[in-house]
């Protein structure tokens, strides 16, 4: 946590964006609250590649967890128009160039994302991938990354299975496979909002196990 605080202090001096600056100044005392009293922002991205230097975000969805419950009235889904087209990635996320013609610019949705992230721990299934894209966009847009507490259901489940001495097979840490171990229903994959909801349900299941 100390390292995160130092990084936030460093990067808030690099941005002139008031909303991001304010977020980087916020106390992280909320991370010490009991789990049921914390606020979590569960995010999923659909991208055109696995590397933020090579791909683009085409969809972002999120849901909020407060008081141990998923608040669907705060769920959001945005489609973004890519500069270079979706290419072969459409096979996975089913979003075509024509469907994304009316999409948002990242600059339009960024204020909504920063507002939702205030006083929240961010939750992802594969945080390294999604945070890599978000921080690449935010540094390009505002000059600083989104440095917030993060939890990763992929890593949480990985550590849980290691403690149980379960030898993981290829694919067993995919979102659908993780959900199956907790008896959660199968959901259609590769839709940002659906995957955010699926991750939120998995996150709550892991913490109640």
């Amino acid at each position: 946590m100390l390292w995160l605080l130092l990084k936030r202090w460093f990067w808030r001096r690099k941005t002139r964006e008031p909303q991001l600056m304010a977020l980087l100044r916020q106390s992280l005392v909320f991370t010490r609250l009991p789990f049921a009293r914390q606020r979590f922002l569960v995010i999923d991205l659909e991208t055109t590649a696995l590397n933020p230097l090579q791909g683009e975000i085409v969809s972002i969805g999120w849901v909020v967890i407060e008081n141990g419950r998923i608040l669907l009235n705060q769920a959001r889904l945005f489609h973004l128009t890519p500069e270079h087209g979706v290419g072969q990635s459409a096979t996975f996320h089913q979003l075509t160039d024509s469907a994304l013609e009316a999409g948002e610019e990242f600059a339009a949705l960024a204020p909504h994302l920063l507002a939702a992230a205030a006083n929240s721990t961010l939750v992802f299934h594969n945080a390294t991938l999604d945070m890599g894209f978000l921080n690449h966009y935010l540094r390009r847009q505002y000059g600083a990354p989104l440095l917030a507490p993060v939890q990763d259901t992929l890593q949480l489940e990985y550590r849980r299975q290691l403690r149980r001495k379960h030898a993981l097979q290829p694919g067993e840490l995919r979102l659908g496979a993780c959900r199956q171990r907790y008896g959660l229903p199968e959901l259609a994959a590769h839709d940002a909002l659906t995957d955010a909801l699926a991750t939120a349900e998995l996150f709550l299941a892991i913490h109640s196990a």
Side-chain angles (χ1 to χ4, degrees), residues 4-5 10 14 16 25 47 51-52 55 70 80-81 89 119 129 133 157 161 166 186-187 197 204:
L4 177 58
L5 290 170
F10 173 83
K14 300 287 186 180
R16 298 294 183 212
R25 282 200 180 106
T47 64
N51 186 329
I70 299 169
L80 284 73
T81 304
S89 68
N119 297 306
L129 175 65
F133 272 92
E157 182 64 7
Q161 295 304 320
H166 173 68
E186 184 176 351
L187 295 177
L197 175 60
L204 292 176

Side-chain angles (χ1 to χ4, degrees), residues 67-119:
N67 300 316
R69 295 183 177 182
I70 299 169
L71 304 182
L72 291 179
N73 64 335
Q74 296 188 42
R76 297 291 183 271
L77 174 65
F78 296 89
H79 289 149
L80 284 73
T81 304
E83 294 181 16
H84 305 294
V86 297
Q88 296 299 315
S89 68
T91 305
F92 299 98
H93 49 63
Q94 307 300 313
L95 294 171
T96 62
D97 290 329
S98 58
L100 294 170
E101 284 180 356
E104 305 271 3
E105 296 288 333
F106 184 79
L109 74 87
H112 301 284
L113 173 64
L114 295 179
N119 297 306

Side-chain angles (χ1 to χ4, degrees), residues 107-159:
L109 74 87
H112 301 284
L113 173 64
L114 295 179
N119 297 306
S120 303
T121 294
L122 309 184
V123 181
F124 304 88
H125 192 77
N126 194 347
T128 300
L129 175 65
D130 286 358
M131 282 297 285
F133 272 92
L134 286 179
N135 285 335
H136 177 72
Y137 273 65
L138 285 165
R139 286 181 66 174
R140 187 172 61 184
Q141 187 75 36
Y142 295 145
L146 175 58
L147 295 166
V150 170
Q151 293 208 35
D152 186 343
T153 51
L154 188 153
Q155 292 299 325
L156 288 172
E157 182 64 7
Y158 173 70
R159 291 193 292 269

